[in-house]
Amino acid sequence: MKTKLIQPTASAYAYPLLIKNILNTPLIYSPEQKILYRDQMEYDYKTFGQRVEKLANMLQERGVRPGDTVAVMDWDSHRYLECFFAVPMMGCVLHTINIRLTPEQLIYTINHAEDDVILVNEDFLPLLESVKDRFETVKQVILLTDKKETPQSSMELAGEYEALMADAPTGYEFPDFDENTMATTFYTTGTTGLPKGVFFSHRQIVLHTYGLMSGLCAYDTQASLNSSDVYMPLTPMFHVHAWGLPYFMTMLGAKQVYPGKYEPETLLKLILTHKVTFSHCVPTIINMLVTSPVINQVDLGNWKVVIGGSALPQGLCREALKHGINIYVAYGMSETCPLLTVANIKPKFKNKSEDELVELRCKTGLPVPNVNLEIIDYNGNPLPHDGKSAGEVVVRSPWLSQGYVKDEQKSEELWANGWLHTGDIGVIDSEGYLQITDRLKDVIKTGGEWISSLELENIISQHEAVKEVAVVGIADEKWGERPLAIVNLREDRIDKISAEDIKSFCMTFVEKGMLPKYGIPSRIVLNETIPKTSVGKISKKDIRDQYR
Amino acid sequence: MKTKLIQPTASAYAYPLLIKNILNTPLIYSPEQKILYRDQMEYDYKTFGQRVEKLANMLQERGVRPGDTVAVMDWDSHRYLECFFAVPMMGCVLHTINIRLTPEQLIYTINHAEDDVILVNEDFLPLLESVKDRFETVKQVILLTDKKETPQSSMELAGEYEALMADAPTGYEFPDFDENTMATTFYTTGTTGLPKGVFFSHRQIVLHTYGLMSGLCAYDTQASLNSSDVYMPLTPMFHVHAWGLPYFMTMLGAKQVYPGKYEPETLLKLILTHKVTFSHCVPTIINMLVTSPVINQVDLGNWKVVIGGSALPQGLCREALKHGINIYVAYGMSETCPLLTVANIKPKFKNKSEDELVELRCKTGLPVPNVNLEIIDYNGNPLPHDGKSAGEVVVRSPWLSQGYVKDEQKSEELWANGWLHTGDIGVIDSEGYLQITDRLKDVIKTGGEWISSLELENIISQHEAVKEVAVVGIADEKWGERPLAIVNLREDRIDKISAEDIKSFCMTFVEKGMLPKYGIPSRIVLNETIPKTSVGKISKKDIRDQYR
């Protein structure tokens, strides 16, 4: 008799979380609100809704069926936004192709994701043509262009997007289905190995949209968003759905501006012309803008910018604030949809000094609701939140990727012990703020402890004679790994400084409590060539191979 | 090969939606923020988190196990809030007992919900004692009191809440489990039949919390909430979890004030002392406050109030606005968790006149994201959104109750054709605003059309000779139902007015296009006693029985 009450209650009457319901709201709330693409296109949400229906009809007429994969290679555009909705709403998978892939990576991801159709901007036609003979599943290619003329191509093109759209009818009955149906996929590229396909379901994208809402709207923060904000992405739409913000800003029915290719002058012009109030980007983009010559002639006092992708240096944060930009950090990764934390300022810190607030704005942040976030040591044990203990960041949340496409082993590694392993090393302070300090691959595991190779490089680089330094972990039978440093001295100091001098210098940091004693490198190699990659970055992999 | 991509992706790595994760956020964001209960109790969120652990330990020590049902009979209190979290977080079901039930209804719900433990405020001890001999599953009763002395009781009491809490340790490992696990239940009472048990899962409560966030925070509305708001419920916590707001305001880490029993002077004092900025209530409560003698001595200019439960008359809305109260409507019902719509003002209406804005504030509202809402006719066909066509409001949303406890037939009726049938009649205008006009049970179904009995009563009551009128539908072989009106005339007009006069009067409304011709009552009974219920309401059921 009692059993009836304790059983899970999901039934035929449970209604799923579906992307189509994100689109319902603005069509009621603000159908007259505008969506723009550079100076190429401007229409209202009502038209947007109709174009999403037209796109679905157009794809269906071209043979696309639920379960098929539709890939896009485009700059940030209204077309891309239409695909964000129409493709998954049909029950198809949207594959957002990274336009910066090498031809080898490109053809690998196209075949691995089993793309049926590719929508390609003419700017990437030559790249796609270079691999067309190796297509395994692609049945047709549709052209995206801002121009009137169709470019020459060695590929057979099924037509041009706007021309095909013009012929398609409106009205499409987007079906209900299981909320766990795959909605999107895209590939992450590491420094080694093949690209890995991350994927997200309708459920995850809808929940992540609420996650963004909670992190950016609900708390009384430095930059609360709402439906009256004007949005322009500055993180490409192929990269984790531009952090999911196009879904969220569409749900809000906010004005949206899609900037195409990122060119500083065009971006600034769009921000000013359309009164953009909210964007998100990596630090490089904001640096490009604040160092642009025109920055002093424009007023950016109503512009909120969320920074992600890598750490925001406090200097750059101050510079942006000086120009009136309301800037702060959020954190996540491809595998996490991406949002995990936002550098929201706690109520009790509101009256802190400007300097202290800059520090908080640059923190990795506080976890948003429904994100469990911990740091664990080498053995998987949780570490104290003391602002000092560094461990790998592991997370649980309903919107995290459940693994990699067709790769059970890597999926299992990602989710070892029921937590998603970010591969980032960080500390959590007593206030709960996370600060990422390293990538896991850059830390040295010695005697059950972790030493940051970046921190060690930072310390050694402070020696007056050091020109360049690289630190790696070398396998050690007793300790697991031990740090090895390659140190290049300034020309005038060569032969005057020994490895022991460097060790003694490190020892002064040990004495100041800034480095554990086991952090002093076991071996210091002076004045040997430091292996570099083709783009000039230090290749730690090559150093490890060389000194194994 | 293709199958891998199209399958639903839920896996062992999917993380559930659980109430415990609502509580995680404020413990990080604002552990120092306050939760108060009248002048009886004041503590911070950190303490609240510890007390939730203590409560779980206390219940566990008393033999409570996952799947058990823990019932509460209390005024709005910190204790109730602790139960909102600890009970479902343990994997138990929280049964929030309506303190206004008759003894018969009370014992029915206690036995039907299979309560294992009841926490009862001493004010309701006599009521509970009156049914104690009929307990079927209750194993123990725990006393809730604000006083030091334990009251006399004919029941064996397992102890007093605060004393038991004092003995319980902190620290409790709240488990993960299926998000569809039942979290709460409570009973709705109609005018006829037995109370029906509505129930909600962890998933539904978490999603509804996001629903509240979207309706109250994310849109640029007359009264956006955020974490700096100060919350006091004015809808009882036993009634649909006080509309779910305690869950939402806890997730925000906002200051919360629990008022105990609703007494106008205490309420106003609490609002002023603790700078309450946000409440929600039925129109009766706001009417009680604005007609209270002290209203003119206090400043309510920072108070936002969401009205639900029944229509907000425009006069009352104006009166509240005059006192500075930022008042607007939201809509839902027990079966819908409850939120469905909020009377948010669209961006394009922001600059409307004050009178027009009052009208919008009093609308039933716009559906919040992830709520699909339609009106359907007698035959289940969707009706146009023209502001005129009235139909039954049917909804779909991921947070709706999936039925009634142990009542498959009523659950199926509730969810006929895959939509939850609200039993409300409403119109949707071309802007998407819903306006509830009737209860389905008050409309007359004639020739496939619906006529509002309330509207017909309103029309007839405008005749100068009419003192009182009641309209019901009487079964008719040809038309399904036909309207019958009982009309009581003013003493001085009796015998001067005939049934035909009333029909002619109705005809003038037909001529003005305000009533369809088939809306004229087939039968008008003059000067017969109108049956009333014990509380003086017109009993349409009795009229129907009498004139069948």
Side-chain angles (χ1 to χ4, degrees), chain A residues 2 9 114 219 251 402, chain B residues 2 9 28 114 219 251 402:
Chain A
K2 192 75 194 174
T9 62
E114 304 174 25
Y219 295 86
M251 180 155 112
Q402 288 165 41
Chain B
K2 191 76 195 176
T9 62
I28 297 172
E114 304 175 26
Y219 294 85
M251 181 156 112
Q402 288 165 39

Side-chain angles (χ1 to χ4, degrees), chain A residues 1-18 20-22 24-33 66-69 91 93 111-116 136-137 176 178-182 185 199-201 203-204 206-207 210-211 213-214 217-221 224-228 248 251-253 344-348 350 366-372 396-408 411-413 415 418 431-433, chain B residues 1-18 20-22 24-33 66-69 93 111-116 136-137 176 178-182 185 199-201 203-204 206-207 210-211 213-214 217-221 224-228 248 251-253 344-348 350 366-372 396-408 411-413 415 418 431-433:
Chain A
M1 178 180 185
K2 192 75 194 174
T3 49
K4 172 72 188 176
L5 278 174
I6 63 169
Q7 276 168 357
T9 62
S11 76
Y13 309 130
Y15 190 72
L17 297 163
L18 297 173
K20 71 173 183 177
N21 288 319
I22 292 179
N24 270 340
T25 305
L27 298 183
I28 297 172
Y29 180 70
S30 54
E32 70 288 351
Q33 187 57 276
D68 284 359
T69 302
V93 180
N111 288 335
H112 191 263
E114 304 174 25
D115 294 344
D116 295 282
E136 288 173 7
T137 55
D176 287 351
D178 188 323
E179 67 187 24
N180 294 305
T181 302
M182 194 190 288
T185 186
F199 59 97
F200 294 97
S201 65
R203 168 186 164 96
Q204 292 169 316
V206 174
L207 290 176
Y210 281 128
M213 180 184 287
S214 65
C217 291
Y219 295 86
D220 176 29
T221 66
S224 295
L225 298 190
N226 68 31
S227 57
S228 66
F248 177 46
M251 180 155 112
L252 287 185
N344 276 330
I345 290 166
K346 290 187 171 196
K348 69 173 177 183
K350 269 186 173 178
L366 298 167
V368 301
N370 278 303
V371 168
N372 288 344
R396 289 197 299 203
S397 171
W399 55 74
L400 309 182
S401 178
Q402 288 165 41
Y404 299 106
V405 174
K406 298 191 281 194
D407 195 333
E408 303 253 335
S411 301
E412 273 173 35
E413 285 166 21
W415 275 99
E431 294 291 345
Y433 282 95
Chain B
M1 178 178 184
K2 191 76 195 176
T3 50
K4 171 73 188 174
L5 279 174
I6 63 168
Q7 276 168 0
T9 62
S11 76
Y13 309 131
Y15 190 72
L17 297 162
L18 297 173
K20 71 173 183 176
N21 289 319
I22 291 178
N24 271 340
T25 304
L27 298 182
I28 297 172
Y29 179 71
S30 55
E32 71 289 348
Q33 187 59 274
D68 284 359
T69 301
V93 180
N111 288 334
H112 192 262
E114 304 175 26
D115 294 344
D116 295 283
E136 287 172 9
T137 55
D176 287 352
D178 188 323
E179 68 186 24
N180 294 306
T181 301
M182 193 189 290
T185 186
F199 58 98
F200 294 97
S201 65
R203 168 185 163 98
Q204 291 169 317
V206 174
L207 290 176
Y210 281 127
M213 181 185 286
S214 65
C217 291
Y219 294 85
D220 178 28
T221 67
S224 294
L225 298 190
N226 69 30
S227 57
S228 66
F248 176 46
M251 181 156 112
L252 288 185
N344 277 329
I345 291 167
K346 291 186 173 197
K348 69 172 177 184
K350 269 188 174 178
L366 298 167
V368 301
N370 278 302
V371 168
N372 288 344
R396 289 197 299 202
S397 170
W399 55 74
L400 309 182
S401 178
Q402 288 165 39
Y404 299 106
V405 174
K406 299 191 281 195
D407 194 333
E408 305 253 335
S411 302
E412 274 172 36
E413 285 166 20
W415 276 98
E431 292 292 346
Y433 282 94

Side-chain angles (χ1 to χ4, degrees), chain A residues 504-535:
Chain A
S504 304
F505 182 73
C506 289
M507 193 63 202
T508 63
F509 284 80
V510 173
E511 282 156 10
K512 282 184 280 188
M514 293 170 71
L515 183 72
K517 194 157 177 219
Y518 53 79
I520 298 177
S522 294
R523 194 170 155 207
I524 292 182
V525 181
L526 289 183
N527 304 314
E528 292 287 342
T529 310
I530 296 178
K532 302 273 170 71
T533 67
S534 59
V535 292

Side-chain angles (χ1 to χ4, degrees), chain A residues 16 52 163 167 270 325 355 388 411 425 440 443 468 519 524:
Chain A
V52 167
D167 291 340
L270 289 170
I325 305 170
D355 265 4
K388 287 180 293 187
S411 301
I425 301 290
L440 183 56
V443 297
E468 190 177 35
I524 292 182

Side-chain angles (χ1 to χ4, degrees), chain B residues 235-267:
Chain B
T235 315
M237 294 174 86
F238 66 75
H239 184 61
V240 211
H241 334 109
W243 300 353
L245 265 309
Y247 286 116
F248 176 46
M249 299 314 284
T250 300
M251 181 156 112
L252 288 185
K255 183 173 163 185
Q256 302 187 59
V257 181
Y258 286 86
K261 194 175 175 178
Y262 298 170
E263 299 149 333
E265 282 201 21
T266 310
L267 296 180

